[in-house]
Amino acid sequence: MKKIFIFLSLFTTVAILASGCSNPKIDKNITKSGEVPTSYLHASFDINVDNPKEVVGFADYVFVGFVEEMTGTDYKFPVTKETEDGPKELTSPYTNYSIKVLDNIKGNLQKDVSIPIQKSGGLSEDKSIYLLYEDDSLPQKGKAYVFTAATQPDGSLLVSGPNSNIEVNTDFFSKNSIQALSEESIVNALTKTDEYKEYQDAYQNEIVKDRKRFASEYDAS
């Protein structure tokens, strides 16, 4: 438990700095029988992550994306930390996905290519624990989500924090092959969902956060 706590403390510090948050608190591990345990991290954000208008206003791109696959995990910000077993290099997990943009709400990402996105959080490098913000979740293959993404200086898309991927509650896409659907039928299905309507409305009334912004390399504009 002590080694896990040290790792979480490091991950929290790095993630909070990257996301513009402060005053982190560590939640107790939640373990399910037969599963890798998950630890949730408390943090105080610069925006109200429970207000879609602020979440959308902070994001560079808001879109509905279909998760094609999880493509691996990157481990960033290595730091050597002294543990009870001696010095150990600790890293922060970032999970990679390949997604297809079904419709843009804010911004104009390409729809005709598979786009890589990165989600902060994921399986630790030693495979012993999942690390996520409180009230956050990892996207799952074969599901559609409203993603709110911030573009990084290199043009990549980062999805980070609670409510940054909201599942679109419809079985339309699971019953049909995305490749076989027309853009019109996809949009018609999306417009019937509460999640899509909520984030369209949030975009129309967004509360914009003043910060330096970048364009995605997959911007179609």
Side-chain angles (χ1 to χ4, degrees), residues 170-196:
T170 176
D171 59 2
F172 178 78
F173 303 116
S174 61
K175 289 181 178 179
N176 299 276
S177 169
I178 292 293
Q179 289 74 19
L181 295 172
S182 68
E183 183 173 337
E184 181 180 4
S185 64
I186 288 173
V187 174
N188 284 340
L190 290 176
T191 56
K192 297 176 182 177
T193 66
D194 293 336
E195 297 80 16
Y196 185 85

mmCIF file of all heavy atoms in Angstrom, residues 170-196:
data_model
loop_
_atom_site.group_PDB
_atom_site.id
_atom_site.type_symbol
_atom_site.label_atom_id
_atom_site.label_comp_id
_atom_site.label_asym_id
_atom_site.label_seq_id
_atom_site.Cartn_x
_atom_site.Cartn_y
_atom_site.Cartn_z
ATOM 1 N N THR A 170 -26.928 5.119 -26.989
ATOM 2 C CA THR A 170 -27.734 4.611 -28.093
ATOM 3 C C THR A 170 -27.149 3.295 -28.557
ATOM 4 O O THR A 170 -25.930 3.110 -28.528
ATOM 5 C CB THR A 170 -27.773 5.601 -29.276
ATOM 6 O OG1 THR A 170 -28.502 5.006 -30.362
ATOM 7 C CG2 THR A 170 -26.386 5.955 -29.752
ATOM 8 N N ASP A 171 -27.996 2.362 -28.944
ATOM 9 C CA ASP A 171 -27.500 1.090 -29.463
ATOM 10 C C ASP A 171 -27.479 1.101 -30.989
ATOM 11 O O ASP A 171 -27.216 0.086 -31.623
ATOM 12 C CB ASP A 171 -28.344 -0.080 -28.955
ATOM 13 C CG ASP A 171 -29.824 0.032 -29.349
ATOM 14 O OD1 ASP A 171 -30.195 1.009 -30.048
ATOM 15 O OD2 ASP A 171 -30.606 -0.850 -28.945
ATOM 16 N N PHE A 172 -27.727 2.265 -31.589
ATOM 17 C CA PHE A 172 -27.768 2.377 -33.045
ATOM 18 C C PHE A 172 -26.442 1.950 -33.669
ATOM 19 O O PHE A 172 -26.400 1.231 -34.666
ATOM 20 C CB PHE A 172 -28.103 3.816 -33.453
ATOM 21 C CG PHE A 172 -28.129 4.044 -34.940
ATOM 22 C CD1 PHE A 172 -29.216 3.639 -35.697
ATOM 23 C CD2 PHE A 172 -27.070 4.666 -35.586
ATOM 24 C CE1 PHE A 172 -29.239 3.848 -37.065
ATOM 25 C CE2 PHE A 172 -27.087 4.888 -36.947
ATOM 26 C CZ PHE A 172 -28.177 4.472 -37.698
ATOM 27 N N PHE A 173 -25.332 2.389 -33.064
ATOM 28 C CA PHE A 173 -24.024 2.108 -33.652
ATOM 29 C C PHE A 173 -23.568 0.682 -33.376
ATOM 30 O O PHE A 173 -22.874 0.077 -34.192
ATOM 31 C CB PHE A 173 -22.990 3.110 -33.130
ATOM 32 C CG PHE A 173 -23.378 4.536 -33.412
ATOM 33 C CD1 PHE A 173 -23.648 5.416 -32.384
ATOM 34 C CD2 PHE A 173 -23.508 4.990 -34.714
ATOM 35 C CE1 PHE A 173 -24.024 6.728 -32.637
ATOM 36 C CE2 PHE A 173 -23.880 6.294 -34.986
ATOM 37 C CZ PHE A 173 -24.142 7.167 -33.947
ATOM 38 N N SER A 174 -23.958 0.129 -32.242
ATOM 39 C CA SER A 174 -23.571 -1.247 -31.941
ATOM 40 C C SER A 174 -24.303 -2.245 -32.845
ATOM 41 O O SER A 174 -23.805 -3.338 -33.107
ATOM 42 C CB SER A 174 -23.855 -1.568 -30.473
ATOM 43 O OG SER A 174 -25.229 -1.435 -30.180
ATOM 44 N N LYS A 175 -25.476 -1.854 -33.320
ATOM 45 C CA LYS A 175 -26.256 -2.737 -34.182
ATOM 46 C C LYS A 175 -25.872 -2.607 -35.645
ATOM 47 O O LYS A 175 -26.227 -3.439 -36.468
ATOM 48 C CB LYS A 175 -27.751 -2.428 -34.026
ATOM 49 C CG LYS A 175 -28.339 -2.867 -32.696
ATOM 50 C CD LYS A 175 -29.823 -2.549 -32.654
ATOM 51 C CE LYS A 175 -30.444 -3.036 -31.354
ATOM 52 N NZ LYS A 175 -31.905 -2.705 -31.293
ATOM 53 N N ASN A 176 -25.160 -1.551 -35.978
ATOM 54 C CA ASN A 176 -24.819 -1.276 -37.374
ATOM 55 C C ASN A 176 -23.324 -1.030 -37.516
ATOM 56 O O ASN A 176 -22.682 -0.476 -36.632
ATOM 57 C CB ASN A 176 -25.570 -0.036 -37.871
ATOM 58 C CG ASN A 176 -27.076 -0.190 -37.822
ATOM 59 O OD1 ASN A 176 -27.686 -0.733 -38.734
ATOM 60 N ND2 ASN A 176 -27.686 0.291 -36.751
ATOM 61 N N SER A 177 -22.788 -1.439 -38.640
ATOM 62 C CA SER A 177 -21.386 -1.170 -38.928
ATOM 63 C C SER A 177 -21.223 0.310 -39.262
ATOM 64 O O SER A 177 -21.914 0.839 -40.124
ATOM 65 C CB SER A 177 -20.917 -2.023 -40.109
ATOM 66 O OG SER A 177 -19.646 -1.599 -40.546
ATOM 67 N N ILE A 178 -20.318 0.981 -38.551
ATOM 68 C CA ILE A 178 -20.074 2.399 -38.796
ATOM 69 C C ILE A 178 -19.697 2.645 -40.251
ATOM 70 O O ILE A 178 -20.129 3.614 -40.874
ATOM 71 C CB ILE A 178 -18.963 2.925 -37.864
ATOM 72 C CG1 ILE A 178 -19.439 2.930 -36.417
ATOM 73 C CG2 ILE A 178 -18.515 4.315 -38.266
ATOM 74 C CD1 ILE A 178 -20.546 3.914 -36.133
ATOM 75 N N GLN A 179 -18.891 1.746 -40.815
ATOM 76 C CA GLN A 179 -18.423 1.921 -42.185
ATOM 77 C C GLN A 179 -19.566 1.915 -43.197
ATOM 78 O O GLN A 179 -19.463 2.525 -44.264
ATOM 79 C CB GLN A 179 -17.417 0.824 -42.547
ATOM 80 C CG GLN A 179 -16.056 0.947 -41.863
ATOM 81 C CD GLN A 179 -16.097 0.570 -40.392
ATOM 82 O OE1 GLN A 179 -17.020 -0.105 -39.942
ATOM 83 N NE2 GLN A 179 -15.095 1.004 -39.641
ATOM 84 N N ALA A 180 -20.659 1.218 -42.850
ATOM 85 C CA ALA A 180 -21.760 1.082 -43.797
ATOM 86 C C ALA A 180 -22.794 2.198 -43.675
ATOM 87 O O ALA A 180 -23.681 2.318 -44.523
ATOM 88 C CB ALA A 180 -22.446 -0.270 -43.594
ATOM 89 N N LEU A 181 -22.673 3.035 -42.647
ATOM 90 C CA LEU A 181 -23.672 4.067 -42.406
ATOM 91 C C LEU A 181 -23.342 5.351 -43.153
ATOM 92 O O LEU A 181 -22.175 5.733 -43.269
ATOM 93 C CB LEU A 181 -23.764 4.367 -40.913
ATOM 94 C CG LEU A 181 -24.281 3.231 -40.023
ATOM 95 C CD1 LEU A 181 -24.136 3.605 -38.558
ATOM 96 C CD2 LEU A 181 -25.720 2.898 -40.353
ATOM 97 N N SER A 182 -24.358 6.015 -43.630
ATOM 98 C CA SER A 182 -24.163 7.314 -44.275
ATOM 99 C C SER A 182 -24.001 8.381 -43.201
ATOM 100 O O SER A 182 -24.440 8.209 -42.056
ATOM 101 C CB SER A 182 -25.356 7.657 -45.166
ATOM 102 O OG SER A 182 -26.517 7.885 -44.370
ATOM 103 N N GLU A 183 -23.384 9.494 -43.571
ATOM 104 C CA GLU A 183 -23.212 10.589 -42.617
ATOM 105 C C GLU A 183 -24.570 11.105 -42.153
ATOM 106 O O GLU A 183 -24.752 11.443 -40.980
ATOM 107 C CB GLU A 183 -22.407 11.714 -43.259
ATOM 108 C CG GLU A 183 -22.116 12.860 -42.308
ATOM 109 C CD GLU A 183 -21.175 13.896 -42.911
ATOM 110 O OE1 GLU A 183 -20.421 13.554 -43.835
ATOM 111 O OE2 GLU A 183 -21.206 15.055 -42.438
ATOM 112 N N GLU A 184 -25.528 11.137 -43.060
ATOM 113 C CA GLU A 184 -26.868 11.629 -42.699
ATOM 114 C C GLU A 184 -27.525 10.741 -41.649
ATOM 115 O O GLU A 184 -28.123 11.238 -40.685
ATOM 116 C CB GLU A 184 -27.750 11.698 -43.946
ATOM 117 C CG GLU A 184 -29.149 12.233 -43.670
ATOM 118 C CD GLU A 184 -30.018 12.297 -44.922
ATOM 119 O OE1 GLU A 184 -29.548 11.861 -45.991
ATOM 120 O OE2 GLU A 184 -31.167 12.777 -44.825
ATOM 121 N N SER A 185 -27.409 9.415 -41.811
ATOM 122 C CA SER A 185 -28.041 8.507 -40.850
ATOM 123 C C SER A 185 -27.353 8.581 -39.492
ATOM 124 O O SER A 185 -28.002 8.460 -38.449
ATOM 125 C CB SER A 185 -28.014 7.069 -41.381
ATOM 126 O OG SER A 185 -26.687 6.596 -41.516
ATOM 127 N N ILE A 186 -26.041 8.807 -39.501
ATOM 128 C CA ILE A 186 -25.296 8.939 -38.247
ATOM 129 C C ILE A 186 -25.757 10.179 -37.491
ATOM 130 O O ILE A 186 -26.044 10.125 -36.289
ATOM 131 C CB ILE A 186 -23.784 9.003 -38.522
ATOM 132 C CG1 ILE A 186 -23.265 7.632 -38.962
ATOM 133 C CG2 ILE A 186 -23.027 9.476 -37.283
ATOM 134 C CD1 ILE A 186 -21.824 7.627 -39.408
ATOM 135 N N VAL A 187 -25.817 11.299 -38.176
ATOM 136 C CA VAL A 187 -26.230 12.550 -37.540
ATOM 137 C C VAL A 187 -27.667 12.456 -37.050
ATOM 138 O O VAL A 187 -27.997 12.931 -35.957
ATOM 139 C CB VAL A 187 -26.048 13.745 -38.503
ATOM 140 C CG1 VAL A 187 -26.621 15.023 -37.892
ATOM 141 C CG2 VAL A 187 -24.574 13.932 -38.840
ATOM 142 N N ASN A 188 -28.538 11.843 -37.846
ATOM 143 C CA ASN A 188 -29.935 11.681 -37.426
ATOM 144 C C ASN A 188 -30.034 10.873 -36.136
ATOM 145 O O ASN A 188 -30.842 11.189 -35.249
ATOM 146 C CB ASN A 188 -30.738 10.989 -38.529
ATOM 147 C CG ASN A 188 -31.066 11.914 -39.688
ATOM 148 O OD1 ASN A 188 -31.029 13.138 -39.544
ATOM 149 N ND2 ASN A 188 -31.370 11.343 -40.836
ATOM 150 N N ALA A 189 -29.206 9.839 -36.016
ATOM 151 C CA ALA A 189 -29.221 9.025 -34.800
ATOM 152 C C ALA A 189 -28.694 9.824 -33.620
ATOM 153 O O ALA A 189 -29.233 9.748 -32.507
ATOM 154 C CB ALA A 189 -28.394 7.760 -35.009
ATOM 155 N N LEU A 190 -27.638 10.600 -33.845
ATOM 156 C CA LEU A 190 -27.038 11.371 -32.759
ATOM 157 C C LEU A 190 -27.979 12.447 -32.231
ATOM 158 O O LEU A 190 -28.043 12.691 -31.015
ATOM 159 C CB LEU A 190 -25.737 12.022 -33.237
ATOM 160 C CG LEU A 190 -24.558 11.082 -33.488
ATOM 161 C CD1 LEU A 190 -23.377 11.857 -34.060
ATOM 162 C CD2 LEU A 190 -24.149 10.375 -32.208
ATOM 163 N N THR A 191 -28.683 13.108 -33.118
ATOM 164 C CA THR A 191 -29.549 14.222 -32.708
ATOM 165 C C THR A 191 -30.706 13.763 -31.816
ATOM 166 O O THR A 191 -31.352 14.599 -31.182
ATOM 167 C CB THR A 191 -30.116 14.965 -33.931
ATOM 168 O OG1 THR A 191 -30.806 14.035 -34.787
ATOM 169 C CG2 THR A 191 -29.006 15.642 -34.715
ATOM 170 N N LYS A 192 -30.933 12.482 -31.755
ATOM 171 C CA LYS A 192 -31.997 11.952 -30.899
ATOM 172 C C LYS A 192 -31.507 11.654 -29.482
ATOM 173 O O LYS A 192 -32.311 11.320 -28.605
ATOM 174 C CB LYS A 192 -32.584 10.676 -31.518
ATOM 175 C CG LYS A 192 -33.249 10.905 -32.872
ATOM 176 C CD LYS A 192 -33.721 9.589 -33.479
ATOM 177 C CE LYS A 192 -34.336 9.802 -34.859
ATOM 178 N NZ LYS A 192 -34.734 8.510 -35.487
ATOM 179 N N THR A 193 -30.214 11.760 -29.251
ATOM 180 C CA THR A 193 -29.663 11.406 -27.942
ATOM 181 C C THR A 193 -29.581 12.630 -27.033
ATOM 182 O O THR A 193 -29.317 13.750 -27.483
ATOM 183 C CB THR A 193 -28.266 10.782 -28.077
ATOM 184 O OG1 THR A 193 -27.341 11.764 -28.565
ATOM 185 C CG2 THR A 193 -28.289 9.596 -29.034
ATOM 186 N N ASP A 194 -29.768 12.398 -25.751
ATOM 187 C CA ASP A 194 -29.703 13.488 -24.773
ATOM 188 C C ASP A 194 -28.299 14.083 -24.679
ATOM 189 O O ASP A 194 -28.141 15.291 -24.506
ATOM 190 C CB ASP A 194 -30.142 12.984 -23.397
ATOM 191 C CG ASP A 194 -31.615 12.614 -23.343
ATOM 192 O OD1 ASP A 194 -32.386 13.147 -24.166
ATOM 193 O OD2 ASP A 194 -31.988 11.807 -22.477
ATOM 194 N N GLU A 195 -27.295 13.222 -24.784
ATOM 195 C CA GLU A 195 -25.912 13.688 -24.652
ATOM 196 C C GLU A 195 -25.546 14.653 -25.770
ATOM 197 O O GLU A 195 -24.923 15.697 -25.530
ATOM 198 C CB GLU A 195 -24.947 12.501 -24.642
ATOM 199 C CG GLU A 195 -25.130 11.551 -23.481
ATOM 200 C CD GLU A 195 -26.283 10.562 -23.690
ATOM 201 O OE1 GLU A 195 -26.733 10.417 -24.855
ATOM 202 O OE2 GLU A 195 -26.724 9.954 -22.703
ATOM 203 N N TYR A 196 -25.928 14.334 -26.982
ATOM 204 C CA TYR A 196 -25.621 15.187 -28.122
ATOM 205 C C TYR A 196 -26.331 16.538 -27.984
ATOM 206 O O TYR A 196 -25.735 17.599 -28.187
ATOM 207 C CB TYR A 196 -26.060 14.489 -29.407
ATOM 208 C CG TYR A 196 -25.698 15.220 -30.685
ATOM 209 C CD1 TYR A 196 -24.448 15.045 -31.270
ATOM 210 C CD2 TYR A 196 -26.605 16.061 -31.316
ATOM 211 C CE1 TYR A 196 -24.112 15.698 -32.447
ATOM 212 C CE2 TYR A 196 -26.286 16.721 -32.489
ATOM 213 C CZ TYR A 196 -25.027 16.528 -33.048
ATOM 214 O OH TYR A 196 -24.709 17.182 -34.211
#
